[in-house]
Amino acid sequence: MLFYSVINITVLKNDLDFQLDFHEWLNVVLLVGITEEIVFRGYLLRKLMDSYKFWIANTITSLLFVSIHFPIWIYKGLIEFPTILGTTVSIFVLSMIFGFIYKKSNSLWSVIIIHSLYNLIVLLFN
């Protein structure tokens, strides 16, 4: 999150926009972090770890996590080459990190909070 912020401020020269409406706060910052983490780390990752080693389960979960973002990107018209490659890799790596944090902390709340903070930072720079 810090890296993302520093790149946006120093390299991309993006400004912070604190004018978020209620919909963005509620849906993107709060609900998305909670629902995605319950589904992907709380359910899928745990279930896959019953059958696979952690890194395989985390990779499968992360690929599925990336796949659910494509309809949103298509709807918003964000499928442009080559930026979509960077976005896809970023979301995949972020998901792998979330899975690792979940495994190490054994807490769904830790990844819910980190996911929500990440979404907030992304919103502030868009």
Side-chain angles (χ1 to χ4, degrees):
M1 286 186 282
L2 180 62
F3 178 74
Y4 181 85
S5 300
V6 169
I7 293 295
N8 269 279
I9 293 169
T10 60
V11 177
L12 301 175
K13 305 287 189 213
N14 289 337
D15 293 325
L16 288 168
D17 179 13
F18 290 100
Q19 301 299 319
L20 302 177
D21 62 24
F22 181 73
H23 160 77
E24 291 171 316
W25 279 104
L26 180 64
N27 290 333
V28 179
V29 176
L30 295 176
L31 295 179
V32 168
I34 292 170
T35 55
E36 286 183 354
E37 292 310 321
I38 288 172
V39 171
F40 286 93
R41 260 50 75 183
Y43 180 74
L44 286 174
L45 182 58
R46 281 188 332 157
K47 281 295 193 187
L48 287 169
M49 286 192 315
D50 290 343
S51 302
Y52 302 100
K53 293 180 180 178
F54 168 74
W55 289 109
I56 294 171
N58 198 24
T59 300
I60 293 168
T61 302
S62 296
L63 289 170
L64 292 171
F65 186 74
V66 167
S67 72
I68 66 143
H69 289 84
F70 273 95
I72 297 163
W73 297 333
I74 292 168
Y75 175 75
K76 291 185 174 184
L78 300 174
I79 303 287
E80 295 178 6
F81 189 80
T83 55
I84 193 62
L85 293 176
T87 303
T88 300
V89 170
S90 296
I91 298 299
F92 177 79
V93 169
L94 194 63
S95 181
M96 293 290 287
I97 292 168
F98 288 169
F100 181 75
I101 291 169
Y102 174 69
K103 182 178 186 289
K104 288 297 181 184
S105 69
N106 201 27
S107 168
L108 196 54
W109 281 109
S110 61
V111 287
I112 288 171
I113 291 167
I114 293 168
H115 190 149
S116 294
L117 286 173
Y118 177 81
N119 287 354
L120 174 62
I121 290 170
V122 169
L123 273 178
L124 291 176
F125 283 107
N126 287 330

